[in-house]
Amino acid sequence: MSPVVITLVSDGSRCLLVRQASFPKGMYTALSGFCDMGESLEETVRREVAEEVGLEVESLWYSASQHWPFPNSSLMIGCHATVCPQKSKISINRQELEAANWFSLEEVEQALGRAPNPSQEEEDDLSFWVPPKQAIAHRLIQEWVKKQAVIPA
């Protein structure tokens, strides 16, 4: 079984969602990557966020885990991470990702309510959708939305 961290990154008021070219059209999700041999979960989160989007993680915490049988048996370890809002400029690693964008609470709430539509002809950031409810990424996104609701504006 291979451990994989899946991390929802936030700058406090927005969350970062990414997509790979292999994803169905319009789907954005949390950032993920395999743990290297001898690496802690915390080290993996910090490395993956830095490698894939060029951001420095300030703090992180564990949320939940999920077995993921595809493509090989993996243990998905869900985490949340925060970055400094003043240092939130994304630098996408194009070898890993097709896109990475910051999304507002309103945009994410709309995406959670949107049915997956992988057959879209045109893809735009305004009509993106997120993984289904059974995926740990969905749980991380829902947790972020709930946390935003209790933060005073």
Side-chain angles (χ1 to χ4, degrees):
M1 184 177 293
S2 301
V4 176
V5 270
I6 181 160
T7 307
L8 189 66
V9 177
S10 174
D11 70 355
S13 62
R14 303 174 297 172
C15 77
L16 180 73
L17 297 174
V18 302
R19 62 172 281 104
Q20 295 178 348
S22 62
F23 289 177
K25 285 200 178 298
M27 188 183 91
Y28 278 75
T29 189
L31 222 151
S32 63
F34 287 95
C35 295
D36 285 344
M37 188 69 71
E39 192 174 49
S40 71
L41 296 176
E42 296 82 2
E43 289 167 334
T44 303
V45 168
R46 292 178 194 285
R47 177 183 52 77
E48 285 292 332
V49 172
E51 284 179 2
E52 295 191 8
V53 291
L55 298 173
E56 184 179 336
V57 170
E58 286 190 326
S59 64
L60 62 104
W61 60 99
Y62 169 81
S63 170
S65 64
Q66 176 184 30
H67 177 255
W68 195 255
F70 310 105
N72 301 313
S73 186
S74 296
L75 177 64
M76 302 289 289
I77 303 156
C79 297
H80 289 273
T82 57
V83 298
C84 177
Q86 292 79 25
K87 297 178 182 177
S88 61
K89 186 175 186 311
I90 302 166
S91 177
I92 301 173
N93 177 343
R94 296 286 178 188
Q95 293 179 326
E96 296 279 340
L97 302 172
E98 179 179 79
N101 294 307
W102 289 108
F103 293 97
S104 69
L105 174 60
E106 181 181 350
E107 291 169 318
V108 173
E109 287 175 324
Q110 289 172 0
L112 283 167
R114 197 174 287 127
N117 187 8
S119 62
Q120 297 177 184
E121 291 298 318
E122 291 292 319
E123 180 180 330
D124 64 50
D125 293 342
L126 299 176
S127 62
F128 74 97
W129 51 279
V130 296
K133 290 179 181 174
Q134 62 269 29
I136 194 166
H138 190 97
R139 175 185 174 140
L140 293 171
I141 294 165
Q142 282 187 317
E143 288 173 348
W144 179 81
V145 166
K146 286 177 185 170
K147 184 177 179 189
Q148 297 308 298
V150 298
I151 297 174

